[in-house]
Amino acid sequence: MLKPADKIIQTLKSKRLRITPQRFAVYSNLLNRSDHPTAEQILKDLNQDTPTLSQATIYLSLQTLRDVGLVREVLLEEGVCRYDANTEPHHHFRCHCCGKIEDIPWESFSNLSLDKLRSGLKVDQYEVIIQGQCDRC
Amino acid sequence: MLKPADKIIQTLKSKRLRITPQRFAVYSNLLNRSDHPTAEQILKDLNQDTPTLSQATIYLSLQTLRDVGLVREVLLEEGVCRYDANTEPHHHFRCHCCGKIEDIPWESFSNLSLDKLRSGLKVDQYEVIIQGQCDRC
DNA sequence: CTTTGTGCAAACGATTTGCAGGATG
DNA sequence: CATCCTGCAAATCGTTTGCACAAAG
């Protein structure tokens, strides 16, 4: 397991992409929060004290980070694209009271059998999306 | 099991909403296609011969149909909201070559055990989203 | 005849693009 | 020092809204 800083440096280098402070900041921010923020939330957070990043850069950086596999998109609500720096396979739970999104460990559904699917389908990845109510609601 | 026409009439009536030709057309179109079209695709399809519907009406009709539970949204790609008139619980498969979306029968994952989840979470619904390659690709 | 829905066009919010200047390797 | 990235602003896309007219009950 690599340290986060090493991980982004190594990954971007291997794809011959530049390691810029902006990309680094976006990735670090995403790693340090447990919620699954939108592009806008990351922008607000990073520009809290001083406006350092433009919103175009956020979107471009997130695209880049997604393309190299450092972050993934989480699509649970209409019109809302969230980001997650946890690229290990896992599932998601969304509370429809407070909107909070929680990671669900991969092992929770390790007994999922994919062999009952119609033949001809090759599965690359899958994810269980759960909606409900969290303990605070 | 009701006939489609009866189902929309009965459902809208019970909510004291009007049964308009536009809502009827949107719902019928959705029932008659096996793909999971976007609002725009439905609009194009219905306006193929003669422009009958405005795009605002499509969006409003889809909202209404969703609110009364006649259709549901399918969110699998970023920025793309698809609609599905199959409101029975089921899962989805998306081919990342051709983008085709297939329904996966609910029974395929009937062995899913939700009791391994962290306690405190109340599950209302869940869905398995599978990505892969379909038989044509 | 009262209420609700539609059509049109304008507004809107999130994301993308073009271009010139700046930073990176 | 050549290339790639950022910032800014304008453009674009999908969706929503405001308002006057039309249709439904």
Side-chain angles (χ1 to χ4, degrees):
Chain A
M1 184 57 184
L2 294 166
K3 276 196 305 182
D6 291 342
K7 191 172 179 188
I8 180 172
I9 290 168
Q10 191 170 312
T11 307
L12 289 177
K13 242 183 193 164
S14 75
K15 310 262 180 181
R16 311 199 168 259
L17 292 167
R18 297 197 174 149
I19 297 124
T20 65
Q22 292 84 346
R23 288 174 180 170
F24 204 90
V26 171
Y27 184 60
S28 304
N29 185 263
L30 215 35
L31 275 175
N32 290 335
R33 35 204 307 186
S34 59
D35 59 340
H36 298 65
T38 62
E40 204 196 349
Q41 290 171 331
I42 299 170
L43 180 66
K44 270 201 189 120
D45 198 6
L46 289 174
N47 282 353
Q48 215 161 16
D49 342 288
T50 33
T52 32
L53 299 204
S54 79
Q55 104 252 62
T57 302
I58 289 284
Y59 287 109
L60 291 176
S61 299
L62 284 170
Q63 273 180 18
T64 307
L65 293 171
R66 163 167 50 74
D67 291 346
V68 302
L70 285 168
V71 309
R72 65 137 125 171
E73 288 163 355
V74 179
L75 306 172
L76 301 180
E77 303 140 273
E78 194 201 328
V80 181
C81 185
R82 302 179 168 281
Y83 292 89
D84 190 348
N86 177 2
T87 52
E88 297 298 304
H90 62 280
H91 308 288
H92 284 111
F93 174 93
R94 174 168 190 271
C95 175
H96 50 222
C97 300
C98 65
K100 189 172 74 163
I101 289 159
E102 276 192 37
D103 285 352
I104 301 290
W106 184 249
E107 305 76 53
S108 302
F109 300 113
S110 50
N111 63 339
L112 213 86
S113 66
L114 291 164
D115 45 292
K116 279 192 194 164
L117 293 181
R118 179 170 84 58
S119 64
L121 301 183
K122 264 190 264 175
V123 174
D124 291 334
Q125 47 166 291
Y126 65 92
E127 175 187 355
V128 182
I129 290 181
I130 305 160
Q131 311 253 3
Q133 204 172 6
C134 72
D135 42 8
R136 294 213 185 155
C137 291
Chain B
M1 182 59 184
L2 295 166
K3 277 195 305 182
D6 291 344
K7 190 172 179 189
I8 180 172
I9 291 169
Q10 192 170 310
T11 307
L12 289 176
K13 242 185 192 162
S14 75
K15 309 264 178 178
R16 310 198 169 260
L17 291 167
R18 296 194 175 153
I19 298 121
T20 65
Q22 291 85 345
R23 289 173 179 171
F24 204 90
V26 170
Y27 185 59
S28 304
N29 184 264
L30 215 33
L31 275 175
N32 291 333
R33 26 199 321 183
S34 58
D35 58 342
H36 297 65
T38 62
E40 205 196 349
Q41 288 171 332
I42 299 170
L43 180 65
K44 270 201 188 123
D45 198 7
L46 290 174
N47 282 354
Q48 215 162 16
D49 342 289
T50 34
T52 31
L53 299 203
S54 80
Q55 103 253 59
T57 303
I58 290 282
Y59 287 110
L60 291 176
S61 300
L62 285 170
Q63 272 179 18
T64 307
L65 293 171
R66 164 165 52 73
D67 290 347
V68 301
L70 285 168
V71 308
R72 65 136 126 171
E73 288 164 353
V74 179
L75 305 173
L76 302 180
E77 302 141 272
E78 194 201 326
V80 181
C81 184
R82 301 179 170 281
Y83 291 90
D84 190 348
N86 176 4
T87 52
E88 297 298 307
H90 62 280
H91 308 287
H92 284 113
F93 175 92
R94 174 167 191 272
C95 175
H96 50 222
C97 301
C98 65
K100 189 171 76 165
I101 289 159
E102 277 192 36
D103 284 353
I104 302 291
W106 184 250
E107 305 75 54
S108 303
F109 299 113
S110 51
N111 63 339
L112 213 87
S113 67
L114 291 163
D115 46 290
K116 279 192 194 166
L117 292 181
R118 180 170 82 59
S119 65
L121 302 183
K122 264 191 263 173
V123 174
D124 291 334
Q125 47 167 289
Y126 64 92
E127 176 188 354
V128 182
I129 290 180
I130 304 159
Q131 310 254 3
Q133 203 171 6
C134 72
D135 44 7
R136 294 212 186 157
C137 292

